[in-house]
Amino acid sequence: MHEDGHHFVAQVLISREGVSGGESQLYDRDRAPIFRTTLLEPLESIVIDDRRVFHGVSGITPAPGATEGIRDMMLIDFFPLAG
């Protein structure tokens, strides 16, 4: 469970094959769980207000019968423009 120190964070699933786990979790500022989901399809996304919640992700393991796997994510951090 952590925060990145940005205003907003987008987590975008690019690819997922042959893995179990990787559950995304959001927590309030008191560290109580408020949301859990597992991104399964390409481009499924979560956008987080990093100033209001903590976030984390569970570990991944090879899916039953898989000899290798991948969970490829793109992370985008947003800051407001100074003006």
Side-chain angles (χ1 to χ4, degrees), residues 22-62:
E23 179 186 64
S24 299
Q25 305 143 353
L26 301 180
Y27 303 86
D28 66 19
R29 297 310 286 180
D30 294 323
R31 300 180 183 262
I34 56 173
F35 182 75
R36 295 175 178 264
T37 191
T38 302
L39 303 176
L40 299 172
E41 298 296 326
L43 301 180
E44 282 188 326
S45 305
I46 298 172
V47 178
I48 300 165
D49 183 340
D50 199 46
R51 298 161 300 168
R52 296 183 64 196
V53 299
F54 292 104
H55 60 277
V57 65
S58 67
I60 59 170
T61 58

